[in-house]
Structures are given as structure tokens and as C-alpha cells.
Amino acid sequence: MRLSYVRDMAISTGDKVPDVEAHVMGEQGPQKVQTGELLGEGKVVLFAVPGAFTPGCSKVHLPGFVEAASQVKGKGVDTIVCVAVNDAFVMDAWGQDQGVGDDIVMLADGNGAFTEAMGLVMDGSGFGLGTRSRRYAAIIEDGVITNLDVEEGGGIDVSSCSSVLAKL
């Protein structure tokens, strides 16, 4: 079964990152954040996964960034952000399970607003996932996307941590 993409990519290199409401887990529970603020200052590596706790995301994609977080930050990156169309509770539990600590911000795009604004929506209903994000990685500098690599198939290649490191 092939994944289907809802529409062509709406955002590209040189575009400003969308500013929509999303959530992160705080000490008192889910906290609202504006993606324009979170992703808009300094150098940011943003990577998106179709879903927390899914095999490729949990065995390859997120662990790659966890293991190499210090290398990524050593290349001048201020913030590493993982986003998925999941709620803040799931993203927090996944982050704890994967040992992200303070190295990676687990951004919950529970309603898919950020994913929609990026134009990177994937229809995973054939797998029982519903509407999710395509898998991608972006380098963002002061709110402007300087590099964006979107996976075309089901693999983890152009959006892997090693690929991002090579572009930093």
C-alpha cells in the first residue's frame, strides 16, 4: 500500500516558517507555543515524523537525532525540534521513552495545523494513521527555511540526522 500526499509541497527554501499554535509538554501539562517563536530565532533543525512510537520513527529517525544531538549543536544549531501530528501527552511519553532529555523539543501538532501550513500533509488512513505529516527535515535560520528535504518514499534517507549533519 502506498502513502498518498494530500497536496504538493506549499513551502520551500527561502520561505518563512509558518506561525501557528502547537503544544509542548510543560511542568503543569500541555503548553501552547507559537511555531514562529519556537522556530524563528537562531539556527534550528526541525524534523517531522509520521507518528510517535511508530517503528521507523522510534527505531531510526528520532534515535539518530538523540545520539548525535551534541554533534548537531556543535555545528551551531541552537534548537533541535521533532514534530508529529500527535498530542502533547504522546509526544512527551515518546520523548521520555527515547531519552531526548533537554536536547530535543518534542512539538505536538495535535490538530495538524502546522503540518497543513507547511503543505506537508500525508494521508495515512490506509494504515489506520489518518492525516499525518510527511517525513522531512529542515534547517531554519532566524525563521527562514534554508534547507528542506522531504522523503519521497517510506524510507529515512534525506531527513536522517546524518544527512542533516552533512548539510550544516
Side-chain angles (χ1 to χ4, degrees):
M1 180 173 297
R2 288 191 42 84
L3 301 173
S4 64
Y5 304 113
V6 175
R7 64 181 178 158
D8 290 335
M9 193 177 348
I11 202 150
S12 62
T13 300
D15 290 343
K16 196 157 182 66
V17 71
D19 185 24
V20 299
E21 184 179 286
H23 293 85
V24 294
M25 186 58 76
E27 289 187 24
Q28 303 297 319
Q31 294 181 326
K32 292 179 185 178
V33 295
Q34 287 298 128
T35 57
E37 288 179 33
L38 178 64
L39 306 170
E41 293 182 26
K43 192 175 211 175
V44 177
V45 166
L46 169 70
F47 66 101
V49 298
F53 292 106
T54 57
C57 304
S58 291
K59 292 179 182 174
V60 179
H61 210 178
L62 179 55
F65 282 94
V66 171
E67 292 166 13
S70 62
Q71 288 177 273
V72 173
K73 291 191 175 181
K75 298 264 189 170
V77 172
D78 301 296
T79 310
I80 303 169
V81 179
C82 174
V83 64
V85 180
N86 287 110
D87 63 68
F89 295 101
V90 169
M91 291 300 285
D92 182 56
W94 189 41
Q96 288 181 35
D97 178 71
Q98 293 285 315
V100 302
D102 294 329
D103 291 331
I104 300 172
V105 176
M106 302 301 285
L107 183 63
D109 185 23
N111 295 324
F114 180 73
T115 299
E116 177 69 27
M118 290 286 286
L120 293 169
V121 174
M122 175 191 83
D123 178 4
S125 58
F127 298 101
L129 296 175
T131 302
R132 297 295 178 112
S133 176
R134 292 182 67 179
R135 188 182 303 278
Y136 66 88
I139 299 171
I140 304 164
E141 295 186 38
D142 295 322
V144 176
I145 298 170
T146 59
N147 188 77
L148 177 63
D149 291 307
V150 182
E151 298 290 351
E152 291 303 324
I156 304 164
D157 181 35
V158 298
S159 66
S160 70
C161 187
S162 60
S163 290
V164 170
L165 275 168
K167 295 188 177 187
L168 288 171

